[in-house]
Amino acid sequence: MADDDPDDRLMTQEAFTECRVGNPLRFVNDGEELLDYLHRRGGFADEEAYPMPGLVLLDLNMPRKDGREVLREIKADPRLCSIPVVILTTSKAEEDVVRSYRDGVNSFITKPVTFTALLEVVQTLGTYWLQVVDLPPEAEGNRH
């Protein structure tokens, strides 16, 4: 999950725990850090400690490099483009929704306001992306 808001990261971690989504959840603070993680640069070089994700949760509004730029880079990279990307953002702007799908996002979700609504989103994400869909082997990352 790439999100610069520590409160959102904490709530998401708590929602994953409460929904018993067993897949590991790792956090990065912004788009630059996400790309470093995905490209195994800097402190993310250890593939065992930082496995390729089976799903990226991406906020749009982050410092250094925002989610819009990162989405385009992920989907343009043949080594990364099969990783599903779900935008999870406070933006409700129609332009952001349209542009994100045009740029290859797999889903666009506006962040819920309440923890109860976040639990519903996490439960649905866990069921759909981690149990229901069939992904190509290179995109499965740490799914199972």
Side-chain angles (χ1 to χ4, degrees):
M1 179 175 190
D3 195 315
D4 62 312
D5 186 320
D7 291 334
D8 285 350
R9 291 192 307 262
L10 178 62
M11 281 183 48
T12 303
Q13 180 65 63
E14 289 174 1
F16 266 67
T17 300
E18 190 158 324
C19 290
R20 294 186 176 98
V21 176
N23 297 68
L25 181 61
R26 291 180 174 79
F27 296 98
V28 293
N29 295 309
D30 57 47
E32 283 290 332
E33 203 171 297
L34 175 59
L35 291 172
D36 286 346
Y37 184 109
L38 295 173
H39 290 293
R40 310 266 185 239
R41 295 187 292 234
F44 300 107
D46 182 348
E47 290 182 33
E48 209 167 298
Y50 303 102
M52 195 57 68
L55 176 70
V56 171
L57 299 177
L58 182 63
D59 187 20
L60 288 182
N61 303 308
M62 297 181 291
R64 297 200 310 155
K65 186 171 286 210
D66 74 12
R68 295 163 191 86
E69 295 173 86
V70 173
L71 173 63
R72 286 190 295 273
E73 288 187 41
I74 289 171
K75 293 304 178 179
D77 187 321
R79 294 171 298 136
L80 304 175
C81 66
S82 64
I83 300 171
V85 177
V86 174
I87 299 290
L88 187 59
T89 187
T90 56
S91 173
K92 292 183 180 185
E94 184 177 330
E95 178 184 333
D96 282 333
V97 175
V98 170
R99 181 188 306 161
S100 295
Y101 279 108
R102 184 195 66 217
D103 291 341
V105 77
N106 298 92
S107 294
F108 189 105
I109 300 170
T110 301
K111 284 181 186 173
V113 179
T114 67
F115 186 68
T116 301
L118 179 61
L119 288 173
E120 290 178 29
V121 166
V122 168
Q123 187 66 52
T124 302
L125 280 172
T127 300
Y128 183 75
W129 287 108
L130 305 174
Q131 296 172 12
V132 174
V133 297
D134 291 322
L135 297 171
E138 65 273 9
E140 289 187 0
N142 214 0
R143 266 181 83 190
H144 302 291

